[in-house]
Amino acid sequence: EAQVTQNPRYLITVTGKKLTVTCSQNMNHEYMSWYRQDPGLGLRQIYYSMNVEVTDKGDVPEGYKVSRKEKRNFPLILESPSPNQTSLYFCASSRFGGASYGYTFGSGTRLTVV
Amino acid sequence: TQLLEQSPQFLSIQEGENLTVYCNSSSVFSSLQWYRQEPGEGPVLLVTVVTGGEVKKLKRLTFQFGDARKDSSLHITAAQPGDTGLYLCAGDTDSWGKLQFGAGTQVVVTP
């Protein structure tokens, strides 16, 4: 089954404790992206990657890091999480970027930073 | 400030009624997508529209892309409880790879 897999689904952590949210896709997609979803603000792009070793900032990149060493994986790293990073996070992939190709989203990671 | 403005923010209707959700912008989009998101899940793509004036139908859902490619609408005929969800529009301008989302319209269809 074609899918984007995120782990974990739920995570509660403390301020300053480094964490990684994993994302993997099995569709051989070139493009991958991370979004955060907050009430009233919709989905905002954090980082995206158009290919292996090619990443770029989205609209809200502060406090996050990403890497794309393999086509299938695109982990999101929070080096020193803060409470304002409490949010619902989604990883998405697409054959290529832009709105001409459909995005497949993961099921989300609900992160709480206390 | 949202690049894509969706209206209304919330819509509650009875089963069998019709509804329309709007997605507007001052920017021109090369293409635009509509997604539906259910609680606890990621958005699922419904349709992509790429040509100004284009109309696409998906069973009881009709999607329209404005002639100037700045706006779009989603019309649901004879809504059913299974249509309940958060409807999101998303588009890209000339910044390839940066898909922008609207804040969404929460639709609730009661039996």
Side-chain angles (χ1 to χ4, degrees):
Chain A
E1 180 188 354
Q3 61 186 1
V4 174
T5 303
Q6 289 180 233
N7 280 296
R9 287 293 305 272
Y10 302 91
L11 179 60
I12 301 175
T13 190
V14 296
T15 299
K17 186 176 181 181
K18 181 180 178 180
L19 67 91
T20 300
V21 183
T22 64
C23 174
S24 180
Q25 51 96 3
N26 62 0
M27 296 164 281
N28 201 37
H29 283 168
E30 302 285 333
Y31 181 89
M32 296 185 76
S33 181
W34 277 102
Y35 290 86
R36 60 178 289 173
Q37 187 174 35
D38 302 288
L41 296 177
L43 284 156
R44 293 180 292 168
Q45 191 177 50
I46 302 171
Y47 269 95
Y48 65 96
S49 169
M50 294 170 69
N51 211 327
V52 176
E53 301 291 2
V54 180
T55 63
D56 205 352
K57 296 177 181 179
D59 296 314
V60 289
E62 292 77 22
Y64 305 95
K65 284 177 58 178
V66 293
S67 67
R68 186 93 180 272
K69 299 187 186 314
E70 309 165 279
K71 184 181 276 193
R72 65 183 293 123
N73 295 322
F74 190 44
L76 179 69
I77 303 159
L78 284 72
E79 294 271 3
S80 182
S82 62
N84 65 11
Q85 293 178 298
T86 292
S87 187
L88 180 58
Y89 291 86
F90 288 101
C91 179
S93 76
S94 175
R95 186 178 174 194
F96 300 109
S100 298
Y101 299 90
Y103 281 51
T104 301
F105 282 83
S107 296
T109 296
R110 185 166 292 280
L111 172 66
T112 302
V113 183
V114 299
Chain B
T1 304
Q2 296 279 153
L3 185 63
L4 286 159
E5 298 289 337
Q6 287 190 240
S7 61
Q9 288 184 302
F10 182 81
L11 196 54
S12 180
I13 61 170
Q14 299 275 8
E15 182 176 3
E17 293 181 337
N18 301 332
L19 68 97
T20 303
V21 175
Y22 300 93
C23 176
N24 295 294
S25 177
S26 58
S27 300
V28 175
F29 290 94
S30 57
S31 55
L32 195 139
Q33 298 176 338
W34 284 93
Y35 292 79
R36 180 168 66 211
Q37 184 179 13
E38 299 186 16
E41 296 298 329
V44 175
L45 179 68
L46 296 173
V47 76
T48 300
V49 286
V50 296
T51 306
E54 182 177 4
V55 177
K56 280 192 173 180
K57 292 192 174 183
L58 185 66
K59 295 183 181 179
R60 293 175 294 99
L61 278 61
T62 301
F63 304 86
Q64 186 162 7
F65 200 14
D67 291 339
R69 288 186 289 126
K70 292 183 178 182
D71 56 88
S72 181
S73 64
L74 158 61
H75 182 79
I76 301 179
T77 303
Q80 299 177 358
D83 295 324
T84 293
L86 180 67
Y87 288 83
L88 297 159
C89 65
D92 63 351
T93 55
D94 56 359
S95 181
W96 199 53
K98 294 184 71 171
L99 191 66
Q100 304 279 355
F101 280 82
T105 294
Q106 180 64 51
V107 172
V108 175
V109 183
T110 54

